[in-house]
């Protein structure tokens, strides 16, 4: 006798539907699973048997074959446990097989019959096309984002009782739509650093990547952590997108749902290329750059990351999407991030002021070589940050609050989007002349800088994009003034230009 | 090679001197001691044989190392190889040997050279830190140019920073009337160090003289640089320190100059600048303060007609920014707090000043250049 149960598996950030076909027939008693299960998936055999018996059912002493269709798709993880258990019960007529077409089943089973939460519940739920989905209770919050009825369950016995009509399906958890940020670090916490705060606002308003170079203790990390606070709330569709990615990576906690805070990810500098970009041998987990999608990726101590990890970021930063290809599958992850990085000016880190650094010339050159020119070129904003002086440190809080700046940023963003349909960091070179027209004096300043080798051709384009953002932030009209252009140039310095 | 072959007489005495110089850890003092009693040839023979070696004051381990290295080396091949490199060799006896060094208190036994011979024209040594400010670089460049133009050869060590800037200045003036630059390096002449100065190295060899007392094929070794400094001092009529940290290597050149009664000048710098700690101290200790190139000419009693170019003066807002900037490097942030202008206005003035060459950018730092 054959039962077919709908379930799903996850690859990258996408769910794929899986039909669990269970055949129970005559022959030597045994239990095999076919259809490319990985180790954790094949171990379902033992979990399912124990869970069924713990729930008060006899294990059929017959030949049980489970096929996971489509058979050429690799299935990873324990998320098919519940579907296999339900399939066996259907095949031996303990539950009514005709009911099974109505539901999809997701969940890992414990030996005592509990249904445990799984990684990637939301994208898997997307992939199942049945009218209702039975999912682990602990995944209930994220599953409310699904456009179908969801039944959160805690034990296998509960599932069997509900299917046989002995009790009603439990209600999904109720979610209050959140309108308040959970975390909004305060910009006023930082004393001094006027220029850096200005750069943060510009970065948030235009989506420009930001590099801060300065000695330890200058407040680079504090500044970076405040960037998400300046970004607008996630829209509903953005939140759904981000939740899916975090669910697929198993990074979603109940406290995060529903998401409106832009994500902030700060991987340690020992991170491998795969952990930043995504991939891995079997599960194709999304990397840090995708977990920071629609938010901020902060790379502290940029120079300490391995060059291969950093250079892997170049293409995703440009295309805002990551494509990872392995022999067995391909995955595509969204990766639209705002990159913020910090580093010391030199190994001694102390001052970096011309003539004051105590590093040997070779040591400094070696340090600077660690960040490749092309990656450096991706930073539209590069500023030097110094330690605040005592009088600034003990001064009263001053300047704008995070909320005030966020408001200006939101206005600037809506100006940019009304004009060109996207944020200013994404202005295409062809559109520059119509979006950022140059006055004669602005042109002559750019020409001087070009001829003195202080700006590259690419740099000129990027400086113009940034000047557009500055104008949008200052509320000006269509014109970008020379002053705004010069400010953009002052915010894009060669961070290692001192010495010879 | 055995002793019989050595005595064949085919190989000149210089070849043995060269062979001795290629031995590990062989500096000028040890070499002089080794050859004090006899000739380079006899010292070499002693090393090859099993008998006693002249007393040099080194450990027996070192002598064992020398013996091993000497046995592995063919004097004749080494000599031929050196000649194949296009490097000329000079010992204190011959005409190519710089006159100033003949009377030196510690002359090199042998000099290797590229380019022309060092002539009798007046010379000034310009030395300073590798890790300099743009102020130091600018002084070195301008002094280098002014000296070369007036017929004074610039002697320097071809290191990064001040050394390189001084020679770049000397090479920047027209070919005909200018004095040829003299570079004294610490490594073998076929081992360019630092690599970043490859072009400068070639330019100095082409238009002037490149000297080294280190045998070809030997790379940079820390202890060779102070020894090199004594040759810079010995070749100069005066030594000028442009910028030096508190315990900089250029101060060893100053010591060598003082040991030879050669006048020492130093360029004053801001007391807040680490790169000027050494030079300001020199002035406090009695070195001649060098406020312009005229002071250098006075030190070597050289007369020269030409005046330095006067720089254009900026105006209006730009001068407000320039005044606020002062002569110490500042970050944009600091500059903005010193003037009552908006960041974008300051940015524009700075950009214009940079365009006019009055202000320079060093990484995030903004520096006044003149």
């Amino acid at each position: 006798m054959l039962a077919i149960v709908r379930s799903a598996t996850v690859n990258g950030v996408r769910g794929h539907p899986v039909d669990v076909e269970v055949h129970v027939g005559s022959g030597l008693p045994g239990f095999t699973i076919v259809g490319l299960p990985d180790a954790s998936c094949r171990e379902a055999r033992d979990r399912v048997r124990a869970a069924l018996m713990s729930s008060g059912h006899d294990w059929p002493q017959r030949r049980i074959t489970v096929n996971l269709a489509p058979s050429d798709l690799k299935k990873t993880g324990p998320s098919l446990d519940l579907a296999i258990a339900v399939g066996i019960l259907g095949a031996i007529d303990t539950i009514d097989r005709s009911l099974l077409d109505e539901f999809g089943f997701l969940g890992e089973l414990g030996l005592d019959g509990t249904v445990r939460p799984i990684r990637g519940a939301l994208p898997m739920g997307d992939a199942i096309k049945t009218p209702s989905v039975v999912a682990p209770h602990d995944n209930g919050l994220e599953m409310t984002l699904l456009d179908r009825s969801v039944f959160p369950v805690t034990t296998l016995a509960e599932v069997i009782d509900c299917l046989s009509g002995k009790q009603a399906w439990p209600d999904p958890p109720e979610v209050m739509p959140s309108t308040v940020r959970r975390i909004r670090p305060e910009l006023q916490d930082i004393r001094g650093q006027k220029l850096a705060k200005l750069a943060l606002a510009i970065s948030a308003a235009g989506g420009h990547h930001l590099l801060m170079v300065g000695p330890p203790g200058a407040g680079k990390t504090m500044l970076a952590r405040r960037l998400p606070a300046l970004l607008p709330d996630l829209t509903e569709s953005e939140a759904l997108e981000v939740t899916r990615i975090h669910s697929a990576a198993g990074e979603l906690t109940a406290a995060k749902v529903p998401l409106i805070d832009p994500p902030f990810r700060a991987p340690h500098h020992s991170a491998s290329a795969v952990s930043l970009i995504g991939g891995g041998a079997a599960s194709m987990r999304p990397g840090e750059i995708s977990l920071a999608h629609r938010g901020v990726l902060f790379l502290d101590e940029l120079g300490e990351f391995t060059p291969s990890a950093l250079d892997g970021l170049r293409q995703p930063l440009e295309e805002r999407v990551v494509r990872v290809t392995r022999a067995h599958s391909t995955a595509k992850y969204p990766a639209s991030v705002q990159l913020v990085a910090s580093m010391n000016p030199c190994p001694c880190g102390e001052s970096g002021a011309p003539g004051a650094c105590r590093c040997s010339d070779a040591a400094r050159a070696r340090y600077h070589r660690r960040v490749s020119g092309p990656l450096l070129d991706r930073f539209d904003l590069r500023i030097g940050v110094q330690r605040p002086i005592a009088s600034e440190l003990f001064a009263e809080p001053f300047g704008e609050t995070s909320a005030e700046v966020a408001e200006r940023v939101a206005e600037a963003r809506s100006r940019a989007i009304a004009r060109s349909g996207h944020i200013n960091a994404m202005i295409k070179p062809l559109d520059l002349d119509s979006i950022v027209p140059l006055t004669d004096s602005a042109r002559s300043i750019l020409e001087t800088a070009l001829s003195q080798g202080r700006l590259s051709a690419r740099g000129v384009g990027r400086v113009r994009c940034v000047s557009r953002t500055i104008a949008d932030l200052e509320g000006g009209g269509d014109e970008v003034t020379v002053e705004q252009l010069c400010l953009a140039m002052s915010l894009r310095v060669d961070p290692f230009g001192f010495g010879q | 090679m055995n002793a019989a072959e050595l005595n064949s007489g085919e190989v000149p005495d210089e070849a043995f001197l060269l062979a001795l110089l290629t031995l590990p850890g062989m500096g000028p003092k040890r070499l002089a001691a080794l050859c004090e009693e006899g000739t380079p040839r006899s010292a070499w023979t002693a090393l090859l044989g099993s008998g006693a070696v002249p007393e040099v004051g080194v450990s027996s381990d070192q002598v064992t190392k020398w013996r091993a290295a000497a046995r592995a080396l063919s004097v004749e091949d080494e000599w031929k190889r050196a000649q194949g490199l296009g490097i000329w060799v000079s010992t204190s006896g011959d005409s190519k040997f710089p006159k100033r060094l003949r009377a030196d208190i510690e002359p090199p036994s042998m000099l290797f050279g590229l380019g022309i011979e060092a002539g009798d024209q007046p010379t000034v040594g310009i030395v300073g830190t590798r890790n300099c400010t743009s102020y130091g670089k600018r002084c070195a460049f301008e002094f280098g140019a002014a000296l070369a133009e007036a017929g004074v050869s610039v002697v320097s060590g071809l290191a990064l920073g001040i050394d390189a800037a001084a020679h770049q200045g000397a090479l920047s003036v027209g070919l005909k009337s200018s004095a040829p630059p003299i570079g004294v390096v610490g490594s073998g002449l076929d081992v360019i160090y630092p690599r970043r100065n490859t072009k400068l190295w070639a330019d100095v060899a082409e238009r002037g003289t490149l000297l080294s007392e280190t045998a070809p094929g030997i790379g940079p070794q820390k202890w060779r640089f102070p020894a090199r400094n004594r040759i810079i001092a010995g070749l100069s009529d005066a030594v000028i320190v442009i910028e030096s940290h508190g315990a900089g290597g250029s101060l060893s050149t100053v010591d060598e100059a003082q040991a030879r009664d050669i006048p020492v000048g130093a360029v004053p710098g801001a007391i807040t600048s680490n790169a000027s700690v050494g030079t300001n101290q020199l002035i406090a200790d009695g070195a001649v303060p060098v406020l312009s190139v005229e002071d250098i000419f006075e030190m070597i009693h050289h007369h020269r007609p030409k005046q330095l170019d006067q720089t254009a003066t900026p105006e209006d807002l730009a001068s407000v920014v320039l005044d606020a900037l002062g002569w110490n490097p500042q970050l944009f942030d600091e500059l903005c707090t010193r003037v009552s202008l908006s960041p974008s206005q300051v940015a524009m003035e700075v950009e214009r000043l940079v365009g006019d060459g009055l202000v320079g950018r060093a990484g995030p730092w903004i520096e006044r250049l003149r």
Side-chain angles (χ1 to χ4, degrees):
Chain A
M1 277 153 290
L2 180 73
I4 299 175
V5 184
R6 322 281 164 202
S7 187
T9 185
V10 72
N11 177 41
V13 294
R14 278 191 57 208
H16 295 275
V18 172
D19 283 350
V20 179
E21 302 169 348
V22 184
H23 181 263
V24 179
S26 57
L28 218 54
F31 186 10
T32 45
I33 299 179
V34 298
L36 279 190
D38 75 345
S40 62
C41 189
R42 189 174 295 115
E43 285 162 357
R45 281 195 313 194
D46 301 308
R47 285 193 299 270
V48 167
R49 194 215 310 258
L52 266 183
M53 290 162 81
S54 305
S55 310
H57 294 270
D58 289 333
W59 183 252
Q61 290 303 318
R62 302 166 71 185
R63 179 146 198 86
I64 304 170
T65 311
V66 174
N67 179 37
L68 309 174
S71 314
D72 59 348
L73 175 75
K74 199 157 181 130
K75 286 93 190 166
T76 54
S79 59
L80 299 169
D81 289 5
L82 182 61
I84 294 172
V86 169
I88 291 172
L89 292 174
I92 58 171
D93 289 324
T94 305
I95 51 180
D96 183 0
R97 276 203 293 280
S98 63
L99 286 173
L100 294 182
D101 285 345
E102 297 286 308
F103 302 97
F105 293 90
L106 293 172
E108 173 184 345
L109 288 179
L111 298 188
D112 58 351
T114 53
V115 179
R116 298 217 171 106
I118 52 171
R119 170 170 88 78
L122 182 56
M124 287 192 220
D126 283 332
I128 298 175
K129 295 301 173 211
T130 55
S132 335
V133 176
V134 178
H137 179 265
D138 290 351
N139 288 119
L141 266 176
E142 60 177 290
M143 297 303 276
T144 55
L145 295 174
L146 215 58
D147 53 359
R148 260 161 293 157
S149 55
V150 172
F151 302 131
V153 293
T154 46
T155 63
L156 177 59
E158 184 187 0
V159 176
I160 298 166
D161 283 352
C162 294
L163 278 171
S164 49
K166 285 185 194 150
Q167 72 177 78
W169 288 103
D171 288 328
E174 229 168 274
V175 180
M176 286 292 153
S178 170
T179 50
V180 187
R181 286 287 185 93
R182 287 185 178 75
I183 324 155
R184 177 162 248 158
E186 189 42 66
L187 206 54
Q188 281 187 338
D189 292 349
I190 299 170
R191 311 292 157 87
Q193 307 295 15
K194 264 192 217 153
L195 187 75
K197 287 181 180 179
L198 178 63
L200 271 186
I202 296 170
S203 169
H208 305 287
H209 302 317
L210 167 68
L211 173 65
M212 292 179 280
V213 180
K220 302 185 292 290
T221 308
M222 264 183 109
L223 283 160
R225 289 195 178 275
R226 274 142 190 82
L227 181 56
L230 309 186
L231 291 172
D233 296 347
L234 295 181
T235 64
E236 210 170 305
S237 66
E238 285 171 344
L240 185 62
E241 197 180 11
V242 173
T243 311
R244 266 198 204 104
I245 299 169
H246 284 238
S247 166
E251 292 269 341
L252 206 59
T253 53
K256 280 191 187 170
V257 183
L259 276 168
I260 61 161
D261 293 35
F264 178 85
R265 304 290 300 189
H268 185 253
H269 56 67
S270 59
S272 66
V274 167
S275 73
L276 285 183
I277 306 304
S283 58
M284 304 290 264
R285 191 177 178 274
E288 289 291 334
I289 190 171
S290 297
L291 289 169
H293 179 59
R294 304 279 175 209
V296 176
L297 177 65
F298 174 44
L299 303 181
D300 204 355
E301 303 300 348
L302 188 69
E304 304 298 331
F305 281 82
T306 63
S308 67
L310 288 184
D311 286 332
L313 290 175
R314 272 152 54 180
Q315 179 262 340
L317 284 178
E318 200 79 338
E319 299 191 17
R320 296 178 180 263
V321 72
V322 185
R323 274 182 214 87
V324 176
T325 306
R326 296 286 183 272
H328 56 85
S329 57
T330 305
K332 189 173 141 190
Y333 318 106
S336 183
V337 300
Q338 189 142 6
L339 180 62
V340 181
S342 76
M343 66 188 294
N344 294 333
C346 59
C348 83
E350 264 322 302
S351 159
C357 160
R358 292 178 316 240
C359 301
S360 78
D361 198 80
R364 215 163 30 183
R366 215 178 306 122
Y367 189 73
H368 297 166
R369 266 201 305 273
R370 302 197 65 150
V371 183
S372 72
L375 180 67
L376 218 49
D377 225 27
R378 301 282 189 285
F379 291 99
D380 289 352
L381 298 167
R382 307 174 206 153
I383 56 167
V385 184
Q386 277 301 299
R387 294 190 185 115
I389 53 172
S391 63
E392 287 175 335
L393 208 53
F394 296 113
E396 289 295 303
F398 74 102
E400 295 169 291
T401 62
S402 293
E404 283 164 1
V405 178
E407 201 172 310
R408 283 199 300 130
V409 165
E411 279 169 24
R413 278 192 165 229
S414 58
R415 266 184 211 116
I417 289 169
R419 183 188 315 111
S420 55
H422 48 70
I423 49 175
N424 289 334
M426 291 164 76
I427 296 176
K428 292 181 192 66
L430 272 178
D431 299 337
L432 266 178
D433 281 330
S434 61
I435 297 177
V436 199
L438 284 181
T439 60
D440 282 348
S441 54
R443 184 185 302 272
S444 82
I445 279 188
L446 283 177
E447 274 168 5
T448 315
L450 259 173
S451 65
Q452 292 178 342
R454 284 183 286 122
L455 268 185
S456 62
R458 183 195 169 97
V460 169
R462 300 315 297 173
V463 159
R464 288 172 72 182
C465 292
V466 173
S467 70
R468 180 70 261 174
T469 306
I470 296 171
D472 286 345
L473 262 179
E474 290 179 358
D478 294 337
E479 283 287 300
V480 174
T481 64
V482 194
E483 285 91 343
Q484 287 159 344
L485 183 77
C486 289
L487 183 57
M489 288 167 78
S490 285
L491 293 171
R492 186 192 169 91
V493 294
D494 171 8
F496 310 125
F498 35 82
Q500 194 178 6
Chain B
M1 174 177 302
N2 57 40
E5 272 179 75
L6 280 178
N7 292 332
S8 64
E10 300 263 324
V11 189
D13 274 354
E14 287 95 335
F16 289 95
L17 201 48
L18 168 67
L20 285 171
L21 278 170
T22 59
L23 296 180
M26 181 63 77
K29 285 199 174 107
R30 288 169 176 183
L31 183 65
L34 205 57
C35 301
E36 204 179 2
E37 299 285 301
T39 61
R41 190 186 294 263
S42 65
W44 186 260
T45 317
L47 276 177
L48 278 187
S50 51
V53 171
E55 185 51 43
V56 187
V58 297
S59 66
S60 59
D61 278 1
Q62 183 69 48
V63 174
T64 317
K65 270 189 208 157
W66 284 347
R67 283 188 195 275
R71 289 204 184 93
L73 194 90
S74 156
V75 176
E76 199 176 352
D77 290 354
E78 196 64 20
W79 179 245
K80 279 185 185 152
R81 197 180 72 82
Q83 287 184 320
L85 291 169
I87 294 170
W88 50 262
V89 176
S90 156
T91 53
S92 50
D94 65 37
S95 61
K96 280 184 171 174
F97 205 78
K99 282 208 183 88
R100 286 184 180 83
L101 289 180
R102 279 181 208 166
D104 198 82
I105 50 173
E106 201 185 320
S109 327
M110 184 177 229
L111 270 181
F112 301 89
L114 279 173
I116 56 172
E117 296 164 31
D120 298 334
Q121 72 278 13
T123 53
V124 165
I126 296 189
V127 296
T129 177
R130 285 168 292 172
N131 180 12
C132 61
T133 65
S134 60
Y135 160 71
K137 213 181 280 180
R138 186 184 144 86
C139 290
F141 188 93
E142 289 195 351
F143 288 171
L147 289 169
E149 199 165 23
V152 179
S153 279
V154 172
V155 185
S156 195
L158 280 179
L160 297 173
I162 299 295
D163 283 14
H167 267 149
Q168 275 156 355
L171 288 165
S172 71
V173 292
L175 202 81
K176 268 184 233 160
S177 58
S178 67
I182 300 174
V184 187
V185 298
S187 59
L189 287 177
D190 55 342
V191 187
I192 298 179
Y193 176 87
R195 292 282 290 277
R196 225 183 294 170
N197 280 346
T198 306
K199 179 160 190 319
L200 187 64
W201 188 289
D203 287 349
V204 170
E206 192 191 317
R207 286 186 44 189
T209 314
L210 206 52
L211 293 173
S212 174
E213 105 182 282
T214 307
I218 296 181
Q221 289 164 326
K222 238 178 185 173
W223 60 268
R224 291 190 190 271
F225 289 94
R228 179 272 311 262
N229 289 347
R230 88 180 194 286
I231 303 182
I232 295 181
L235 279 173
S236 306
D237 293 338
V239 168
I240 309 298
V241 189
I242 305 279
E243 268 187 327
S244 173
H245 291 254
S250 30
L251 298 183
S252 92
T253 317
V254 170
D255 293 342
E256 297 291 352
Q258 281 172 335
R260 288 165 177 78
D261 280 337
I262 292 165
V264 173
V267 176
I271 56 169
T272 51
S273 165
N274 277 358
S276 287
V277 170
T279 38
N280 288 341
Q281 188 60 46
L282 279 176
I283 293 171
D285 293 347
V288 178
V290 176
L291 308 184
S292 75
V293 72
E294 298 299 332
D295 293 332
I296 305 179
F297 291 134
E298 209 160 288
M299 284 170 75
I300 58 169
H301 311 295
H302 186 82
H303 298 286
R304 176 202 76 140
K306 202 178 169 301
Q307 287 274 309
L308 273 179
D309 291 351
Q310 288 302 309
T311 57
T313 43
E315 35 190 77
D316 308 326
L317 272 185
S319 62
V320 174
V321 171
L322 213 50
D323 286 344
L325 184 56
W327 289 96
N328 277 326
Q330 279 187 33
L331 286 174
F332 189 74
D333 226 2
E334 292 174 82
L335 189 57
C336 289
T337 53
R338 289 195 185 196
V339 291
S340 49
L341 297 171
S342 74
S344 50
Q345 277 175 308
V346 177
M348 185 168 79
E349 294 312 327
V350 169
E351 210 49 60
R352 292 211 167 119
L353 288 168
V354 172
D356 294 345
L358 286 167
V359 162
R361 276 187 177 282
W365 300 87
I366 301 166
E367 282 184 292
R368 184 162 178 183
L369 295 180
R370 45 184 210 211

